[in-house]
Amino acid sequence: MLWHFERKVAQKYRIDWALFPGAGAAGGVGWAALAFLGATYQAGFDLIARVTQLEKKIQVADLVITGEGKIDAQTWHGKVPDGVYRLANHWNKPVVALCGIQEGTSPIPVFDLVSVAPNMESAQKEAEKWIFEVVRRCINK
């Protein structure tokens, strides 16, 4: 039904925002803002990086740490760890990622909670404990 609605809006306004990057984020809020509110697209990472002056911070860092709940193939196509990785790589800074669970390969070292926790439930419910354990193991390597 929503696809039908989107098609009708696209025909009426002669725009097709459905496949625009970010249009499906937060349940289609991006699409609605583009279609009805005259919003313009801006990548979330770029905005946050600019506001926090992330690039300046990376320039002076010895090590850059990023993270995500799940690191998988999608991560390296515009999510926060991808943006952090690109900035760190630009400034020749080492970068690692911490996550809950990792699937697939990564261009950077990834340390996940599931690898140190006894099971997924423990990794989720006692995340703080397992983050400390992952960091401890990173330091001791």
Side-chain angles (χ1 to χ4, degrees):
M1 184 164 167
L2 287 177
W3 185 251
H4 177 73
F5 176 67
E6 187 280 327
R7 292 288 81 204
K8 292 294 183 185
V9 170
Q11 289 170 357
K12 179 174 178 152
Y13 294 104
R14 300 187 200 289
I15 55 171
D16 188 1
W17 294 111
L19 300 178
F20 197 80
V29 171
W31 171 82
L34 290 164
F36 299 114
L37 302 176
T40 57
Y41 173 77
Q42 183 170 18
F45 175 78
D46 295 340
L47 174 66
I48 298 302
R50 188 176 69 251
V51 169
T52 62
Q53 299 183 348
L54 181 61
E55 189 165 8
K56 287 181 182 179
K57 292 172 181 166
I58 287 175
Q59 288 176 29
V60 299
D62 294 322
L63 172 67
V64 178
I65 302 171
T66 187
E68 183 89 12
K70 179 180 182 181
I71 292 185
D72 58 18
Q74 289 183 3
T75 302
W76 309 112
H77 296 283
K79 289 191 173 185
V80 169
D82 181 52
V84 171
Y85 164 66
R86 286 184 284 113
L87 277 177
N89 194 43
H90 175 78
W91 293 102
N92 297 312
K93 300 293 181 168
V95 59
V96 299
L98 299 177
C99 67
I101 188 169
Q102 178 188 6
E103 291 180 0
T105 61
S106 169
I108 63 175
V110 175
F111 301 90
D112 65 311
L113 303 188
V114 172
S115 68
V116 296
N119 54 54
M120 178 69 82
E121 183 179 352
S122 178
Q124 291 173 330
K125 288 185 176 180
E126 302 173 289
E128 183 178 0
K129 170 183 174 180
W130 299 116
I131 288 170
F132 279 109
E133 179 59 20
V134 166
V135 171
R136 187 187 69 73
R137 290 183 185 195
C138 292
I139 291 170
N140 291 329
K141 281 196 172 188

